[in-house]
Amino acid sequence: MSVFTLHTVDTAPAAAKGMLEQSIRDYGMLPGLYQVMASSPELLASYHKLHEMFEQTALSVDERNVVWMTINVENRCHYCVPAHTAIAKSQGVDDAIVNALREERPLDDPRLEALRQFTLILVRKNGNPSPAEVQTFLDAGFEPRAILDVLVGLAQKVLSNYTNHLADTSLDDPFKPFAWTPSKARAAE
């Protein structure tokens, strides 16, 4: 049982109403994640701003989706993995990339795999990679800026993944075809 209210535009705090209305205009629906986040307009605004900023980084569409999905899967977010599967598909990311990420398999593209591995290192080591791990990432063809750009995506995903864990957010109908559960090995952790 969640202690959080699923807000509508009518029930949300005044500071969140405009953001919820914009979500309805943008998506034709009010995602459950936003309904929960609306209880803290600052959280909702932070999430939206981080999303906007991550979209402006030097990372490509495929690279941003690798970061998002890697973090979602690593954090075992029952809501964000399906949601970002739908987002990746809408952004033209190859199904082979999306499926590998969902299944925690290495990516065929060495550069994208290096990004996936580096993102995992940042998550698992609390943002404290070794110099050798940083060099391996840079040797894959990334500029130092990419390290910092990944952090923007990581900050965004912490907000959404943790909110969904705390609220046990129900999966929205458009994301249900992409429902996901962690691998058996990971689920036992």
Side-chain angles (χ1 to χ4, degrees):
M1 179 182 95
S2 177
V3 299
F4 300 100
T5 301
L6 293 175
H7 284 288
T8 65
V9 171
D10 294 332
T11 66
K17 289 182 186 292
M19 291 180 279
L20 296 183
E21 290 168 342
Q22 186 63 48
S23 295
I24 293 169
R25 286 191 295 276
D26 290 347
Y27 310 119
M29 61 174 270
L30 188 54
L33 173 63
Y34 298 172
Q35 292 176 330
V36 173
M37 286 183 162
S39 288
S40 171
E42 295 76 16
L43 174 64
L44 183 59
S46 297
Y47 180 78
H48 282 300
K49 187 62 173 179
L50 283 168
H51 179 79
E52 175 187 327
M53 299 309 296
F54 191 55
E55 292 274 324
Q56 295 174 22
T57 66
L59 299 173
S60 71
V61 170
D62 283 356
E63 291 166 348
R64 288 192 308 268
N65 278 280
V66 166
V67 171
W68 279 326
M69 190 67 83
T70 299
I71 297 165
N72 292 334
V73 169
E74 181 65 16
N75 286 337
R76 294 180 258 179
C77 186
H78 70 283
Y79 183 95
C80 287
V81 172
H84 276 277
T85 299
I87 290 166
K89 287 180 174 293
S90 75
Q91 292 183 345
V93 177
D94 189 291
D95 285 344
I97 293 171
V98 175
N99 292 336
L101 291 166
R102 287 172 56 98
E103 297 166 10
E104 301 181 79
R105 290 186 287 108
L107 299 172
D108 291 337
D109 181 301
R111 180 178 164 92
L112 292 180
E113 178 58 16
L115 176 60
R116 184 181 82 87
Q117 288 298 324
F118 189 71
T119 301
L120 285 171
I121 288 165
L122 289 176
V123 173
R124 292 174 179 168
K125 294 179 108 179
N126 301 307
N128 194 24
S130 71
E133 290 165 334
V134 170
Q135 192 58 54
T136 297
F137 180 65
L138 297 175
D139 289 347
F142 288 95
E143 297 294 324
R145 173 192 169 150
I147 296 168
L148 303 176
D149 286 346
V150 170
L151 294 180
V152 179
L154 178 56
Q156 179 195 6
K157 291 289 73 198
V158 165
L159 295 180
S160 61
N161 291 173
Y162 289 16
T163 296
N164 289 317
H165 292 324
L166 291 165
D168 194 25
T169 312
S170 295
L171 202 54
D172 300 308
D173 286 341
F175 308 143
K176 285 181 180 176
F178 309 112
W180 174 87
T181 54
S183 68
K184 290 179 183 176
R186 289 291 315 280
E189 290 178 1

